[in-house]
Amino acid sequence: MEVNLCRQFTKALLILLALVIIIPIFFGFLGFFLPSFGYFPAIGRYDFDLSYFNSSFDLPGISKSFKLSVFTGLFSTILALFFSQVILLKLFQTNIYNYIRLIIAPLLALPHITMAVGLIFLFSPSGLIFRLISPWLTGFDRPPNLFIIPDEYGIFLILGLLLKETPFFLLLSMSALEQLPARKVFNVGRTLQHSSFSNWFLLIFPLIYKKIRLVIFIVIAFAASVIDMSLLLAPSTPSTLAIRIFQIFQTSEVNSIFIASNLALVQFCIIIALILLWIFLEKIIKQNFFYIFLIKILTRKKSLFVDSLFIIAMVLFLLSMMGVASSFLWSISENWHFPNFFPSSFSLNNILIFLYQHQSTVLTSVCISILVSFLSIILILIWVELTETINFKILYFEWVLFVPLFIPQISFLIGLQSFLVTLNFQSFLLALIVVELLYVLPYCFIILAPALREIKKEFIKVGSSLGKNRFERLVFIKIPLVSSSLLTSFGIGMIVSLSLYAPVYFIGAGRINTLTVEAVNLALSGSRQDLGLATVFQVIIPILILLIIAYLNKKLTKWRF
């Protein structure tokens, strides 16, 4: 009787935890779905109306906004995935391969907005690139009156996404390789007279792809609906669909919420269409005729082609480093006049002044990230422990955790904000923590949950034989065994939280400010020194988190298995 009662109680707790995730997702979807048809009780609109679809599609330049979102989202993902594999095939089975994680760790830690700011510092008319070639090559002794960044076709937005997503795909691919007999497959390909390029893309990449397929869909959804990078790098006349929704939502007209919600629904449909298009392309590539075509094309020696691609990938890596370096130079410069390549004078007082003026912003950013990441870890530990208690086998249900990553941020957040307005909810900090939890939890779950489930049962049996109850086994056996994964998950959760822009803007409603929001505001209208400082703090804090995690991993991990 007691066992059955305990089992029922455990199921109830599981349902409660699931509802914590499902309810915000459900209301977030309804919050933009219903107003898109004219239903919004908060302002007295109860009638369903299809006229807002006409209003949305009649907006000037809206078709170009659709095309920009599709173009930037699809091609940035394809290029990032492609170049990550080019880097791997060149460095695989070399000494450098073992150090790639250390090399790309700083890039992975940087928020997307940092890459965008770095590109502005590099390619603007007064940027580092023009300073490098002026006046000896260009003849410019002052910044030229050129419209370079953002460009009309979203090329710089694709470049920014490419710089950020390539290291991400690189790390995921390396993790997938560790689970595969990659060296054996690679050597078999050589015996079949394949070149390195064909060997990788015909034999090894399909195995990697199966492991990272879900993440590719998440990246497509993010790239096609990104807000913070689009504000700085996307064209403004017209901009991407996410920015058009953002701009319409900010207007004071009564109908703006309905048109913005309508476009949010359209954007959600575009994301679904892009994922379906990707799946359709998968079906084509899996066909025998396409595979034979690839074999005939790729079996020839293409060392020069591969070397050229690798050089392009290294140039992209160099651009990332130059962007960060340029931000650092601006942060400590007092006077940096064009066309000087370096500032004429340096001062650390800028950092102290910025920190003093924005100490609450920095403290808020760090505290929220710590709290959100801590709650994510606690929820994952409880969820995994409860599922093991009742031997829960339907693990496909856990994919609900990843749903917020597939819904465009602006669509989802407009929906949630609509319900918060309807409920007259005043606790902005609590709402922000819950919303950030939806975005941080999936990343923490990917790292921590598999580690907990892969613990050898022998350790648990030994604990049981010593009279340890379930809670004691969790605290004194499981957590020490997965302390490395737990710390890594906690650090990644903090980094993801620190980089979030849209949740803070929409849910914080101006009452809460973070470094990412401050960086966007300074990039749109602020001094280069302050923008550089905000960017540098966004670099320093994540890197410090990674260093602390690495140190704690070294000191606290007692057992490895």
Side-chain angles (χ1 to χ4, degrees):
M1 181 67 180
E2 290 182 1
V3 174
N4 187 47
L5 183 63
C6 181
R7 188 178 181 83
Q8 295 300 323
F9 180 70
T10 303
K11 286 183 178 180
L13 281 178
L14 276 175
I15 293 171
L16 181 62
L17 285 175
L19 289 176
V20 169
I21 305 299
I22 293 172
I23 288 176
I25 295 172
F26 176 74
F27 283 109
F29 179 79
L30 282 185
F32 73 84
F33 182 80
L34 295 178
S36 67
F37 292 94
Y39 183 84
F40 195 33
I43 59 174
R45 299 287 185 92
Y46 297 95
D47 297 327
F48 284 89
D49 190 354
L50 296 177
S51 63
Y52 293 106
F53 282 92
N54 295 328
S55 301
S56 298
F57 286 101
D58 287 340
L59 291 171
I62 195 65
S63 60
K64 185 178 179 181
S65 296
F66 294 156
K67 294 173 185 176
L68 270 174
S69 296
V70 171
F71 176 66
T72 56
L74 193 59
F75 279 91
S76 64
T77 305
I78 292 172
L79 291 174
L81 184 60
F82 178 72
F83 280 113
S84 68
Q85 302 308 307
V86 170
I87 294 171
L88 274 182
L89 78 89
K90 286 295 291 184
L91 300 182
F92 187 62
Q93 292 186 331
T94 66
N95 293 331
I96 301 176
Y97 179 80
N98 297 324
Y99 299 98
I100 293 178
R101 292 178 188 273
L102 295 176
I103 296 171
I104 66 173
L107 295 179
L108 285 170
L110 302 183
H112 285 77
I113 190 64
T114 306
M115 289 296 180
V117 171
L119 288 178
I120 291 174
F121 283 152
L122 287 178
F123 290 100
S124 64
S126 61
L128 211 60
I129 301 297
F130 270 97
R131 290 173 185 270
L132 181 64
I133 60 176
S134 299
W136 63 273
L137 181 61
T138 63
F140 297 138
D141 58 0
R142 63 182 61 190
N145 187 21
L146 298 175
F147 188 77
I148 300 173
I149 185 169
D151 64 290
E152 184 180 355
Y153 301 102
I155 302 300
F156 277 104
L157 177 56
I158 291 177
L159 179 59
L161 290 166
L162 182 60
L163 295 181
K164 191 67 181 74
E165 303 301 348
T166 300
F168 182 56
F169 280 134
L170 187 58
L171 181 63
L172 288 173
S173 299
M174 290 180 65
S175 299
L177 281 175
E178 293 174 357
Q179 306 171 38
L180 300 168
R183 295 183 185 276
K184 292 181 180 179
V185 175
F186 198 79
N187 293 332
V188 168
R190 284 180 172 176
T191 62
L192 297 174
Q193 302 301 311
H194 281 294
S195 66
S196 296
F197 189 82
S198 60
N199 195 359
W200 192 271
F201 281 93
L202 290 176
L203 301 179
I204 295 181
F205 175 66
L207 302 176
I208 295 174
Y209 182 83
K210 291 179 181 178
K211 302 283 186 180
I212 65 173
R213 185 170 179 256
L214 174 67
V215 181
I216 292 173
F217 292 157
I218 293 173
V219 171
I220 291 173
F222 175 83
S225 60
V226 63
I227 301 174
D228 47 2
M229 291 189 85
S230 298
L231 283 169
L232 305 186
L233 301 179
S236 56
T237 52
S239 189
T240 60
L241 183 56
I243 302 304
R244 296 297 295 275
I245 298 170
F246 186 76
Q247 292 168 343
I248 292 170
F249 186 79
Q250 287 179 313
T251 61
S252 57
E253 295 181 8
V254 176
N255 288 334
S256 63
I257 182 64
F258 300 107
I259 297 175
S261 298
N262 194 274
L263 288 176
L265 178 60
V266 173
Q267 187 182 48
F268 180 66
C269 294
I270 288 175
I271 299 299
I272 293 175
L274 281 175
I275 293 174
L276 291 176
L277 174 63
W278 191 277
I279 294 172
F280 176 72
L281 293 175
E282 286 179 352
K283 300 294 184 183
I284 294 177
I285 293 173
K286 287 180 181 179
Q287 298 300 315
N288 289 336
F289 72 86
F290 192 85
Y291 185 74
I292 295 171
F293 171 76
L294 285 178
I295 291 177
K296 291 182 178 180
I297 294 296
L298 297 178
T299 47
R300 300 175 183 176
K301 297 293 181 182
K302 297 182 180 297
S303 58
L304 180 62
F305 175 66
V306 177
D307 290 342
S308 300
L309 291 174
F310 183 70
I311 291 171
I312 294 173
M314 290 300 99
V315 169
L316 294 175
F317 177 78
L318 181 62
L319 285 177
S320 303
M321 293 294 97
M322 287 179 64
V324 174
S326 182
S327 299
F328 180 74
L329 287 175
W330 272 111
S331 69
I332 61 174
S333 68
E334 282 193 342
N335 297 301
W336 194 1
H337 302 295
F338 190 89
N340 297 336
F341 189 71
F342 288 103
S344 56
S345 59
F346 299 91
S347 175
L348 294 177
N349 288 333
N350 297 342
I351 297 177
L352 298 176
I353 293 171
F354 181 88
L355 188 58
Y356 176 76
Q357 293 176 342
H358 298 85
Q359 56 184 328
S360 62
T361 300
V362 175
L363 189 62
T364 299
S365 302
V366 174
C367 289
I368 289 177
S369 66
I370 291 174
L371 183 57
V372 171
S373 190
F374 178 76
L375 289 174
S376 298
I377 297 297
I378 295 298
L379 286 174
I380 293 167
L381 289 172
I382 294 173
W383 176 267
V384 173
E385 195 66 18
L386 290 178
T387 53
E388 288 185 357
T389 301
I390 63 171
N391 198 22
F392 186 70
K393 296 295 185 181
I394 313 175
L395 297 182
Y396 290 108
F397 177 74
E398 291 175 349
W399 292 114
V400 73
L401 296 174
F402 299 89
V403 171
L405 302 182
F406 289 99
I407 303 176
Q409 280 191 6
I410 195 165
S411 305
F412 181 61
L413 295 170
I414 282 177
L416 275 179
Q417 193 183 57
S418 298
F419 266 95
L420 291 176
V421 170
T422 304
L423 297 173
N424 195 25
F425 194 74
Q426 298 297 322
S427 181
F428 297 98
L429 181 59
L430 178 60
L432 177 60
I433 289 172
V434 172
V435 172
E436 285 204 5
L437 196 62
L438 298 177
Y439 289 101
V440 171
L441 192 61
Y443 293 99
C444 294
F445 188 87
I446 288 174
I447 299 169
L448 184 55
L452 285 167
R453 285 170 174 158
E454 288 170 7
I455 294 175
K456 293 180 180 179
K457 301 301 180 184
E458 288 78 5
F459 291 108
I460 310 302
K461 290 178 181 178
V462 170
S464 300
S465 66
L466 295 174
K468 302 294 183 182
N469 59 38
R470 184 169 290 277
F471 179 76
E472 290 174 327
R473 293 198 298 268
L474 173 65
V475 173
F476 297 111
I477 298 178
K478 290 186 177 181
I479 289 179
L481 285 171
V482 299
S483 59
S484 178
S485 297
L486 189 146
L487 289 170
T488 303
S489 178
F490 184 82
I492 294 299
M494 283 189 66
I495 290 170
V496 171
S497 175
L498 285 167
S499 67
L500 292 174
Y501 170 76
V504 181
Y505 182 88
F506 283 95
I507 307 302
R511 274 80 167 180
I512 301 170
N513 196 26
T514 62
L515 272 173
T516 302
V517 174
E518 189 67 25
V520 174
N521 294 337
L522 290 170
L524 295 174
S525 58
S527 70
R528 288 292 180 92
Q529 283 85 359
D530 286 342
L531 176 58
L533 284 162
T535 306
V536 164
F537 275 102
Q538 283 193 300
V539 174
I540 291 174
I541 294 174
I543 290 178
L544 279 176
I545 292 171
L546 291 179
L547 290 175
I548 292 171
I549 295 302
Y551 176 78
L552 291 175
N553 270 333
K554 185 177 180 180
K555 292 294 182 181
L556 299 180
T557 301
K558 298 180 180 179
W559 301 289
R560 296 184 184 275
F561 62 97

